[in-house]
Amino acid sequence: MANFDTIFIGSGHATWHAAVTLAQAKRKVAIIEADTIAGTCTNFGCDAKILLDGPFELTEQLKQYQGIGVNETPKIDWSQLMAYKQSVIKPLSTQMTAIFKQLGITVITGRGELTDAHTVQVAGTDYTANTIVLGTGQRPAQLAIPGAELMLDSRDFLDLETMPKRLTFIGAGIISLEFADMAVLLGSEVHIIEFAPSALPAFYQDHVQKLITHLEQAGVQFHFDEALQSVSKSATGLTATTANGLTIESDAIVGATGRIPNVEHLGLEKVGIQTDRHGIIVDDHLRTNVPNIYASGDVISKMLPKLTPTATFESNYIAGQLLGATAAIDYPVIPSVVFTMPRLAQVGVSVATAQADPDTYHVQALPYGQVLAFQYQNETEADLELVFDQENYLVGAAIYGNGAPDLINLLTMLITDRVTAETLSQKVFAFPSASVGIIDMLTPLLHREH
């Protein structure tokens, strides 16, 4: 008889939602974790970032009133803010562990390795289960260059007790732009070195360029089409050298050139589980090629956004499967957000896709920051691009503006539910809230039944 009904390897959002659901259904469940309980997002990623981001968001919003009522903005003390972050974030792992144990979930500390289709070994002890779920996530990629070990990664940055006076970020992706935005607003000299000719290729490029211009005006220096060749120590810091001969000296260099799946040391080869460079290969039920072993979250090989909400959705789906559901997974549209100041967000069919296929889609621009300045805190640059199909159902959106994270959630619901103008007109919303302005502008553009 198996020790457990289900063993989860990894304890982040890709697994713990399913573990809780199964435990509440009286299934015998274990979670194996080699690092910190609750995973990267909770301890070293999203939660820490958004906590640190809060004061920067507020001060940037105050700047929008410069000369029209606000003439000074408060200064942010990074060291105090970091101490606050530690006091809030560090206890979360302990709190989550206590919740798991209260629910009857067995928490096993150590590296789990498959020895056969039903057995996981941790520190020489075997644990067996009817089903196993692999949710080991990703880790920062490290460039194969001399001096790579001298660079910090995102986890290191989110633990910095003091902000370096000079910072260089490698890569112009989400992590670099979000971190660089905070650093430059604290007065640091900030450089970004990027191999490609532009940043954030998955996002609407007009918005990306507006963001780059905004960051440049704040002091961030971008170096596109530059391949990092080496990092070396200097008398007064670290020197980044590119293949074109560009050299930049900094107090710290942060590598942010992507993330890679944690598939090593899991024993996948022992049981024949198939992988590719993007992660573990699964079918449309999130099963590996070994039918009783599932994978969830960022460790999966997939083209969908590898985000916390996606991992949570997959975790909940697996719980349903193990409790008797049989349908293949059907992903809804998935919103993505870049938490810079201003924010970028998008969901559904991209503007680029729509513009390339005018017979299927059309795009409507809503410069809501100008039209609704009183509702959007004088953020006159805020912009929304809406993508409609030929029946005028909303199918995609891209937003540039501080309110983008909440607005994209609203638009995601409208897209998912194929909301019509009649349906929206029958609702009453709070006024003069920020979202109601968008609703009023959007309603006449939507599909009408009659």
Side-chain angles (χ1 to χ4, degrees):
M1 182 176 177
N3 296 122
F4 299 97
D5 294 307
T6 305
I7 289 176
F8 295 88
I9 303 181
S11 65
H13 287 276
T15 59
W16 74 253
H17 295 271
V20 166
T21 298
L22 293 176
Q24 290 172 333
K26 307 304 180 186
R27 299 293 178 89
K28 193 175 182 183
V29 176
I31 290 176
I32 298 171
E33 177 57 65
D35 195 345
T36 306
I37 287 292
T40 295
C41 180
T42 300
N43 297 290
F44 317 113
C46 334
D47 291 5
K49 167 59 175 68
I50 203 64
L51 182 151
L52 293 169
D53 172 271
F56 295 93
E57 180 183 19
L58 295 173
T59 55
E60 284 299 284
Q61 289 172 345
L62 282 174
K63 289 178 183 178
Q64 293 161 196
Y65 290 93
Q66 286 279 359
I68 54 172
V70 175
N71 296 309
E72 291 184 16
T73 54
K75 293 186 177 180
I76 297 170
D77 186 314
W78 176 264
S79 296
Q80 286 186 355
L81 182 59
M82 181 58 66
Y84 170 65
K85 171 250 168 182
Q86 301 291 16
S87 71
V88 172
I89 299 298
K90 277 193 173 181
L92 294 179
S93 177
T94 301
Q95 293 167 7
M96 292 295 291
T97 302
I99 291 171
F100 295 157
K101 291 182 177 179
Q102 186 178 20
L103 289 168
I105 298 171
T106 299
V107 177
I108 303 167
T109 301
R111 184 178 298 280
E113 183 174 350
L114 296 165
T115 57
D116 62 45
H118 292 277
T119 306
V120 183
Q121 188 175 93
V122 182
T125 300
D126 288 340
Y127 302 91
T128 59
N130 297 322
T131 55
I132 296 170
V133 180
L134 307 174
T136 49
Q138 293 180 302
R139 66 184 184 276
Q142 189 177 73
L143 294 174
I145 59 169
E149 72 282 356
L150 299 174
M151 292 193 288
L152 306 178
D153 60 24
S154 59
R155 182 166 169 172
D156 299 320
F157 180 90
L158 291 172
D159 264 344
L160 287 173
E161 293 184 3
T162 58
M163 182 62 68
K165 295 295 184 184
R166 302 173 300 169
L167 262 172
T168 297
F169 294 89
I170 310 304
I174 292 175
I175 289 174
S176 286
L177 296 188
E178 290 182 351
F179 291 176
D181 203 351
M182 292 192 293
V184 78
L185 292 175
L186 288 172
S188 297
E189 176 188 311
V190 178
H191 295 263
I192 294 179
I193 296 173
E194 169 57 50
F195 173 80
S198 59
L200 301 174
F203 284 78
Y204 178 43
Q205 285 301 297
D206 283 6
H207 287 173
V208 172
Q209 189 52 55
K210 284 177 69 172
L211 176 61
I212 296 300
T213 299
H214 182 86
L215 291 173
E216 287 177 333
Q217 290 171 346
V220 177
Q221 300 177 58
F222 287 87
H223 308 276
F224 291 109
D225 294 309
E226 293 284 354
L228 184 66
Q229 191 172 57
S230 67
V231 174
S232 58
K233 290 184 179 180
S234 64
T236 55
L238 298 174
T239 300
T241 303
T242 72
N244 290 331
L246 173 71
T247 60
I248 299 172
E249 186 176 83
S250 305
D251 299 311
I253 299 174
V254 180
T257 53
R259 298 176 66 82
I260 56 177
N262 292 316
V263 295
E264 301 86 0
H265 313 298
L266 285 175
L268 302 183
E269 64 286 346
K270 293 181 181 178
V271 293
I273 291 176
Q274 296 175 353
T275 65
D276 60 21
R277 67 186 185 91
H278 300 293
I280 296 172
I281 298 170
V282 296
D283 65 11
D284 59 2
H285 286 70
L286 301 187
R287 296 173 300 209
T288 70
N289 56 302
V290 179
N292 70 295
I293 300 180
Y294 294 74
S296 177
D298 291 357
V299 77
I300 293 177
S301 175
K302 60 189 175 188
M303 300 310 294
L304 290 165
K306 292 191 174 187
L307 303 169
T308 295
T310 314
T312 300
F313 183 84
E314 291 163 351
S315 187
N316 289 330
Y317 170 81
I318 289 174
Q321 291 292 296
L322 298 182
L323 292 173
T326 58
I329 193 166
D330 183 15
Y331 290 95
V333 292
I334 301 170
S336 299
V337 180
V338 183
F339 284 92
T340 48
M341 277 73 66
R343 320 302 201 185
L344 299 187
Q346 66 180 26
V347 66
V349 177
S350 70
V351 175
T353 297
Q355 291 173 337
D357 189 3
D359 292 335
T360 306
Y361 306 107
H362 60 277
V363 180
Q364 176 67 53
L366 293 183
Y368 68 91
Q370 296 177 17
V371 178
L372 304 170
F374 70 100
Q375 287 171 283
Y376 285 94
Q377 301 170 329
N378 202 44
E379 189 188 6
T380 56
E381 290 294 309
D383 178 59
L384 169 61
E385 303 288 322
L386 299 170
V387 179
F388 299 90
D389 65 14
Q390 291 308 307
E391 295 181 84
N392 291 328
Y393 284 104
L394 184 67
V395 294
I399 309 175
Y400 176 93
N402 290 325
D406 289 327
L407 288 176
I408 206 69
N409 284 338
L410 169 65
L411 298 175
T412 297
M413 287 192 290
L414 299 184
I415 293 170
T416 302
D417 295 341
R418 291 178 64 80
V419 171
T420 65
E422 289 92 343
T423 298
L424 209 52
S425 298
Q426 292 167 7
K427 311 296 181 186
V428 177
F429 300 96
F431 182 87
S433 63
S435 57
V436 76
I438 296 296
I439 291 169
D440 288 343
M441 296 174 73
L442 171 61
T443 301
L445 304 173
L446 286 172
H447 173 86
R448 290 188 175 274
E449 295 293 348
H450 304 290

